[in-house]
Amino acid sequence: MVAQAYQHPGSSADLVGRGAELKRIVDALESAKGAIPVTILVEGTPGVGKTALLDAACDLAHERGFVVCRAKPSPMESETPFAVVQQLFGHLREEAPPCRHAEAAPHGYDLIAGHLTAEAEDLEEFQVQRAIQDIYRFVAEFAQCAPLCLIIDDVQWTDVQSLRWLNYLVHRIVRFPVAILLTRTPGLRPTDPLLIAELELYAERMRVEVFSAQQLVQLTEQVLGRTPDEKFTQSFLDATGGCPTVTRHILGLMREKSVPPDEDAVSNLLRPEAEKLGHSMLARLNRQAPDLVEIAKVIAVVEPDDLDLLNAVMGAGAEEVADRVRQLEGMGVLTPEGKLTFTHSVIKNTIESAVGYWEREEMHAKAARFLHHTRAPSLLLARHVLQTPTRLGVWAVEALRAAANTVIAEGDARFGAKLLTRALAENLSAAERRGLLLQLGLAEVYFDPRMAVVHLQEGMTGLDDPETVLTVACRLSQIFYFDGAYDDASEVLRRTIAEIGPEIPTAVDMLRLLERITVPSRDPEAWQVDFRQFDEREWRRGDARGRALAGLVADDASSRGVDLPTCRKAALAALSGGATDILQQPQLMVGVLNSLLRADEVDLVMRYCDEILEEARREGLTLIAMLGHILRSRAHHHRGSFTEAVADAELALSAAKTAKLPEDHFGQVYAIDAQVRAQLALGDVDAAENALIPFHRTRELPHTWHHTVLLHARGAVRMELGDTGGALADQLECGERFQAWGRPSPTLRPWRSYAALAHLRLGQPRPALDLALEELKLAREWGAPSVIGRALLTVGIVTGDAAATPWLTEADSVLRRSPARMLHAQVLLELAATRWEKGQHDAARQHFEEARKLGEQCGVVVEPGERLAGLTSAGTPRTPVPRPAEPTNVAPPAPRLSVLALTPHEYRVATLVVEGNSNDEIAHKLSVSRRTVEFHLTNIYRKLGVRRRTQLSSALAGFVPRR
């Protein structure tokens, strides 16, 4: 087994990872010393350490008594006859000859001394042949007096005459103590390919590779005296590609600066130093082959997929370009097999950084023109158009627009907006500019709403297409909704109704429904439109308008608390386009997911929130991330995971701060509401109160949807702080607003339950009972278990004593079908206390134990409280009420999402997966991008309740596709 680090006494040339190579050189020297000549050709990419290996070989040869002759050919001397020969032996002429036999070749000495100065073309063939023979005799006679080691670094640049002599020597030298060590960079076209090929036949070839992770660890230990951690090692290899020259340089700097080999060194030293070394490598490449640097620049900037595009940008012949590519591959700059990719990012980044601004722009312009003429895909073409300010014409605008449509549909609205902004820089007609502005505004809706308003309003000027007017008006109203600019939203919607009503009568009711959901109004006319008047086929048809209408139906049904089954179906129809579709319409996203929460579909909401947040993080969509965290906080709160609810609320507030939203912004207020409710549920009243500091207890809050919701949360905090009168005032004000706006149901907020408890604390049992029973009636009309369970709990608390038991028992039964675990725990605690007070201790203990286990599931410690400790306290007089007449009619849970929930596109993708196709194959068959396939698969997994592609077969089994 060959050691990885070869060491020899008296030499500083310790080369980690080069043990096998050095051992072979030592063997060659020993063989040559025994009069068995050896020729070794060392090959490797630039910077891999070929020269360092020759340095070590020099030391090894000197130690063994060899006379070392070394040459470094250069492209500048490749036309000078015998230039390498003169480098090898010129110094020997100054020294005393080792023996008198050398005088037998006087002409050889003349050549070595540089007396032959004629150009190569001026030399007669007989002169060259005589010189080769004389130098051969000189070397042979010299070797009889002392062993000779000839070293030539970068032999590919050797002049032709010296190459002819070298081949002559290698062929004929026999039984002489001569070792010949050569290095070569593969790929570079040599001075004479045939002579180099002939030399390779008689030489032993030795390939020098880059460092492996194990060798890097070993070298780091040797240089720094410390073992590097795994993250450092991997990051080091990623940054340097294992290039020995770069590696040794950086480790040397680390030793000088006492930098430990840990993760911090990667960012503080490794990356900038790797870049510096990259420039050094570029300079070396430029010295060796300037013509190759030019083609490398084009490959780095344009990133062509094939030689045709490279030829077009270079403006050179196909054979010439192909030959240069082969040279770069041989040098290790490009990967083999014609892929036109760099072997390492350091090389690519360095070469790319050497390209000037205008040179870069011209490359992209040439690439764009060629791709246009060859009818390349619009996205590929648009990426080059985007990189050049040169006005290219109508075809560039169309390519940018088409590419923007594709990436926006896939969820990357930011990149789509960049493409559209570039398109606006072209020479455009008024109509073309208007269309691009509208498309840009629609793309900006959910990551830069203020600029979206500017562009949409500018684009609507003079717009005469009713369908486009409808789409833009809906988006504008959504933006105004989030900003609380209800008057602006109402104006846009009513103006649109007047403008397009005669042409699209079916859109009028949709716009009226949108206005009712968007604008809090006391006008009874705003309530006249009913979602049940829409034909279900309209909102289940699966296109963009159908999904938008379905979202409005779900939102309106849930906020008014009527027709839970229709709400569920409409919500699923609105979500049929997947997460990437719904997150492009923030108001629709919030409305639909809120409607599912009100329907107790918490798990589904959580899955959608996770997908939305993942996409928002990937695309840097701060506002969408904020809304996603708000919705997820609500979902956590709904099922009793209060710690997680607080965490998401804080992330939402952080996103609001990053977006620099004003204090009263929709998102900011809803995030505070989520935080306050979760902190209260955890019992941290101080934290909840601190969160409400911007909205002082006595401050009158604006008449917006979000401030009204916050009234409910503020009332709950005031109740905990002992301000019962203030708490009651906040809850009643919250309820008065919702009822005036046509939202009497407790689905938005159970304000009646909180007001009833405040009345009860103030010694007012009659109004408390009236509110509790009214909420129960409305909750039964809605049918969701959690809403009914809370109302039943309130009625039980208000009635008290023995009369509470049937209400609480029914609440317990109802909430067993609900995801609201901590609400269920509250009911069980209240029921346990009631049983305890009646002397039913075993039943009480059973209820308390069940409540405690529910608390454990949610990470909450459930305490027994004073009533369960046997203590009694004087309560307020209770007003007798009748026992519940019949069991609550709770709406059945929604059927499990199945294949029926898949869109036609999703079903096609799922079928292709089951048939064994990869994502790339599916993308090719459906003529879409791989990213589109991945998004469809994410939605498919969610809808079918599976986690991996191997589970799809069973999930699809027995399904008859829809026609």
Side-chain angles (χ1 to χ4, degrees):
M1 183 175 179
V2 178
Q4 285 299 305
Y6 188 91
Q7 298 186 9
H8 44 281
S11 171
S12 60
D14 286 359
L15 296 179
V16 169
R18 299 291 179 249
E21 291 85 350
L22 286 171
K23 183 177 186 304
R24 180 65 194 98
I25 290 173
V26 168
D27 291 343
L29 293 172
E30 294 295 338
S31 177
K33 200 170 181 181
I36 301 175
V38 177
T39 301
I40 295 178
L41 177 61
V42 181
E43 296 181 319
T45 58
V48 81
K50 302 187 297 294
T51 301
L53 198 59
L54 292 186
D55 292 339
C58 285
D59 291 344
L60 293 167
H62 279 302
E63 291 172 2
R64 285 159 178 76
F66 279 78
V67 174
V68 178
C69 300
R70 188 167 182 175
K72 177 73 173 176
S74 165
M76 297 180 63
E77 295 182 325
S78 60
E79 301 297 327
T80 304
F82 296 105
V84 168
V85 169
Q86 291 169 7
Q87 279 194 59
L88 283 172
F89 304 118
H91 70 287
L92 294 181
R93 190 70 180 88
E94 307 300 325
E95 302 172 1
C99 60
R100 305 312 302 172
H101 298 289
E103 294 297 341
H107 188 58
Y109 272 111
D110 289 338
L111 283 169
I112 293 168
H115 295 162
L116 184 59
T117 58
E119 295 294 331
E121 56 267 23
D122 296 332
L123 286 175
E124 297 291 342
E125 176 59 26
F126 78 90
Q127 292 179 287
V128 174
Q129 189 61 35
R130 179 188 172 192
I132 289 172
Q133 293 171 353
D134 283 351
I135 299 169
Y136 166 74
R137 287 200 302 274
F138 168 80
V139 171
E141 293 174 3
F142 194 103
Q144 293 179 21
C145 304
L148 193 60
C149 179
L150 306 181
I151 296 178
I152 303 177
D153 200 0
D154 283 334
V155 71
Q156 71 270 2
W157 302 129
T158 302
D159 60 274
V160 173
Q161 290 74 23
S162 294
L163 272 177
R164 288 179 62 182
W165 162 78
L166 188 58
N167 273 299
Y168 189 90
L169 175 68
V170 170
H171 291 179
R172 287 165 176 76
I173 194 167
V174 179
R175 306 301 299 173
F176 285 112
V178 177
I180 303 173
L181 304 179
L182 314 170
T183 68
R184 180 191 172 196
T185 301
L188 288 179
R189 180 171 293 279
T191 309
D192 190 315
L194 292 177
L195 289 173
I196 289 291
E198 184 180 355
L199 185 63
E200 289 175 348
L201 293 175
Y202 292 90
E204 176 186 339
R205 298 169 73 175
M206 185 166 64
R207 179 79 183 183
V208 181
E209 303 293 346
V210 297
F211 282 153
S212 65
Q214 180 182 357
Q215 291 167 343
L216 175 60
V217 169
Q218 198 170 359
L219 181 61
T220 305
E221 290 173 344
Q222 180 181 339
V223 175
L224 302 182
R226 292 182 57 175
T227 301
D229 60 35
E230 291 184 6
K231 289 184 178 179
F232 172 84
T233 302
Q234 188 57 51
S235 298
F236 200 110
L237 288 175
D238 290 343
T240 65
C243 175
T245 302
V246 179
T247 299
R248 291 178 182 281
H249 172 79
I250 294 177
L251 289 178
L253 284 176
M254 292 176 67
R255 180 173 57 190
E256 291 175 12
K257 299 180 180 181
S258 300
V259 176
D262 55 24
E263 191 174 3
D264 292 338
V266 175
S267 55
N268 296 337
L269 179 67
L270 183 56
R271 291 192 180 98
E273 287 303 324
E275 185 176 341
K276 290 178 185 177
L277 263 294
H279 286 289
S280 174
M281 292 176 66
L282 175 61
R284 181 183 304 178
L285 179 62
N286 191 47
R287 286 195 304 270
Q288 292 181 340
D291 56 332
L292 297 184
V293 174
E294 295 306 313
I295 196 169
K297 286 181 179 180
V298 175
I299 296 172
V301 171
V302 177
E303 298 180 348
D305 289 331
D306 53 43
L307 288 174
D308 291 339
L309 178 56
L310 184 58
N311 294 340
V313 178
M314 287 293 298
E319 282 300 321
E320 180 184 353
V321 170
D323 181 62
R324 293 183 186 180
V325 168
R326 284 192 292 270
Q327 291 184 63
L328 289 171
E329 290 173 352
M331 294 173 66
V333 176
L334 298 179
T335 57
E337 302 175 2
K339 295 180 180 178
L340 299 181
T341 54
F342 289 90
T343 54
H344 199 271
S345 59
V346 170
I347 302 174
K348 179 186 182 298
N349 295 340
T350 303
I351 292 175
E352 189 175 6
S353 66
V355 181
Y357 176 79
W358 294 111
E359 186 181 6
R360 181 188 304 270
E361 303 303 328
E362 182 60 24
M363 287 179 186
H364 284 295
K366 288 180 178 178
R369 292 189 185 98
F370 173 79
L371 292 171
H372 167 61
H373 289 304
T374 56
R375 301 182 182 277
S378 59
L379 186 55
L380 176 61
L381 172 55
R383 290 183 185 276
H384 291 290
V385 177
L386 187 64
Q387 299 299 322
T388 175
T390 304
R391 291 182 176 180
L392 300 172
V394 176
W395 60 267
V397 175
E398 292 306 315
L400 290 164
R401 185 196 293 271
N405 285 334
T406 300
V407 298
I408 291 171
E410 293 178 353
D412 193 352
R414 280 187 182 274
F415 185 52
K418 287 182 181 179
L419 294 170
L420 294 169
T421 301
R422 168 62 183 85
L424 286 167
E426 294 287 334
N427 291 320
L428 303 167
S429 66
E432 289 172 333
R433 181 173 180 79
R434 185 163 55 242
L436 285 171
L437 284 169
L438 290 174
Q439 196 174 356
L440 176 59
L442 293 174
E444 292 171 330
V445 161
Y446 70 113
F447 69 87
D448 193 353
R450 289 174 176 79
M451 285 307 301
V453 169
V454 173
H455 290 137
L456 289 175
Q457 288 180 330
E458 185 180 351
M460 286 186 76
T461 306
L463 190 63
D464 53 9
D465 177 39
E467 289 287 350
T468 307
V469 170
L470 176 62
T471 301
V472 175
C474 291
R475 294 297 179 90
L476 273 174
S477 68
Q478 291 176 17
I479 300 171
F480 291 136
Y481 165 74
F482 279 109
D483 278 344
Y486 299 132
D487 291 341
D488 291 335
S490 183
E491 180 187 352
V492 166
L493 293 172
R494 296 190 178 191
R495 186 174 66 241
T496 304
I497 290 173
E499 183 178 343
I500 70 170
E503 299 182 62
I504 315 180
T506 57
V508 173
D509 286 339
M510 176 181 169
L511 289 172
R512 286 177 178 166
L513 183 59
L514 176 58
E515 182 180 13
R516 183 168 73 185
I517 291 172
T518 303
V519 181
S521 172
R522 294 175 181 268
D523 183 0
E525 290 185 5
W527 311 341
Q528 289 178 358
V529 63
D530 192 331
F531 66 84
R532 283 167 288 199
Q533 73 188 50
F534 294 103
D535 187 339
E536 185 173 331
R537 288 174 297 182
E538 284 295 307
W539 51 261
R540 288 179 69 90
R541 62 190 185 186
D543 61 3
R545 191 197 290 185
R547 291 194 296 271
L549 179 56
L552 296 178
V553 168
D555 194 359
D556 192 48
S558 67
S559 62
R560 291 170 60 201
V562 292
D563 203 345
L564 177 56
T566 296
C567 172
R568 281 172 169 161
K569 286 191 292 184
L572 291 178
L575 293 171
S576 63
T580 55
D581 174 74
I582 195 172
L583 65 78
Q584 295 182 46
Q585 303 183 60
Q587 183 182 6
L588 179 67
M589 177 181 79
V590 172
V592 171
L593 295 185
N594 272 332
S595 69
L596 287 172
L597 278 178
R598 296 162 192 157
D600 280 344
E601 299 289 349
V602 178
D603 290 340
L604 182 58
V605 173
M606 287 295 297
R607 289 201 293 270
Y608 264 95
C609 286
D610 289 344
E611 289 181 33
I612 288 166
L613 287 169
E614 180 181 354
E615 181 65 14
R617 281 192 292 269
R618 180 163 55 234
E619 303 299 339
L621 307 175
T622 305
L623 295 177
I624 295 299
M626 175 191 70
L627 296 176
H629 283 301
I630 290 170
L631 291 166
R632 195 165 70 177
S633 176
R634 289 179 176 179
H636 281 308
H637 184 276
H638 193 98
R639 65 182 182 186
S641 303
F642 302 132
T643 302
E644 290 84 352
V646 170
D648 266 307
E650 289 175 348
L651 288 170
L653 287 169
S654 175
K657 183 177 181 181
T658 300
K660 299 179 181 178
L661 298 181
E663 187 178 89
D664 286 326
H665 187 273
F666 175 99
Q668 179 95 353
V669 174
Y670 269 157
I672 291 175
D673 166 70
Q675 185 182 39
V676 168
R677 293 200 301 143
Q679 294 286 14
L680 273 183
L682 287 172
D684 194 343
V685 181
D686 291 340
E689 184 182 19
N690 289 335
L692 280 170
I693 287 176
F695 308 96
H696 193 265
R697 293 189 205 174
T698 59
R699 173 186 165 186
E700 182 179 354
L701 299 183
H703 284 63
T704 67
W705 293 115
H706 44 287
H707 285 99
T708 301
V709 164
L710 192 64
L711 266 175
H712 171 70
R714 190 175 75 176
V717 173
R718 294 174 81 171
M719 187 78 161
E720 292 297 324
L721 292 171
D723 182 8
T724 308
L728 180 60
D730 276 347
Q731 298 299 344
L732 293 177
E733 171 67 12
C734 173
E736 192 279 328
R737 292 186 186 184
F738 280 144
Q739 291 191 100
W741 297 337
R743 302 293 189 277
S745 176
T747 54
L748 288 178
R749 285 293 183 273
W751 60 270
R752 293 179 185 84
S753 283
Y754 284 75
L757 296 177
H759 274 305
L760 192 64
R761 186 177 289 184
L762 291 171
Q764 301 164 358
R766 186 76 253 178
L769 183 59
D770 290 343
L771 285 172
L773 289 174
E774 184 182 2
E775 178 164 311
L776 179 57
K777 175 177 176 294
L778 293 168
R780 291 187 197 277
E781 291 177 2
W782 174 236
S786 59
V787 179
I788 298 172
R790 181 173 291 282
L792 286 167
L793 171 62
T794 304
V795 174
I797 293 173
V798 171
T799 56
D801 300 330
T805 303
W807 303 102
L808 296 174
T809 301
E810 184 180 355
D812 172 31
S813 175
V814 166
L815 289 171
R816 290 183 185 277
R817 287 167 281 175
S818 162
R821 295 173 297 183
M822 286 310 298
L823 177 60
H824 189 194
Q826 283 181 264
V827 169
L828 289 168
L829 274 177
E830 191 67 29
L831 190 56
T834 302
R835 301 281 193 196
W836 184 270
E837 290 166 352
K838 293 171 64 177
Q840 301 171 358
H841 291 177
D842 289 341
R845 290 189 185 96
Q846 184 178 350
H847 290 317
F848 172 72
E849 183 60 24
E850 192 173 357
R852 188 185 62 77
K853 288 181 179 178
L854 285 171
E856 286 179 355
Q857 294 174 18
C858 299
V860 177
V861 178
V862 175
E863 301 289 352
E866 293 182 355
R867 292 174 64 193
L868 281 174
L871 300 176
T872 57
S873 56
T876 335
R878 311 289 184 181
T879 302
V881 294
R883 300 167 71 90
E886 57 186 24
T888 301
N889 182 22
V890 179
R896 186 183 71 84
L897 292 177
S898 67
V899 181
L900 292 171
L902 298 182
T903 65
H905 287 301
E906 290 168 351
Y907 176 71
R908 177 65 176 143
V909 170
T911 304
L912 289 171
V913 169
V914 171
E915 291 173 357
N917 294 282
S918 68
N919 288 1
D920 288 329
E921 290 170 336
I922 296 171
H924 177 72
K925 290 181 178 181
L926 299 182
S927 299
V928 297
S929 69
R930 176 188 173 91
R931 187 175 180 192
T932 299
V933 174
E934 291 170 348
F935 275 122
H936 280 315
L937 279 175
T938 299
N939 292 331
I940 291 165
Y941 293 163
R942 183 193 69 250
K943 291 181 179 181
L944 299 182
V946 300
R947 295 187 176 182
R948 55 185 67 90
R949 49 201 307 133
T950 54
Q951 298 173 323
L952 283 178
S953 180
S954 59
L956 291 172
F959 175 67
V960 179
R962 292 162 292 187
R963 301 295 181 189

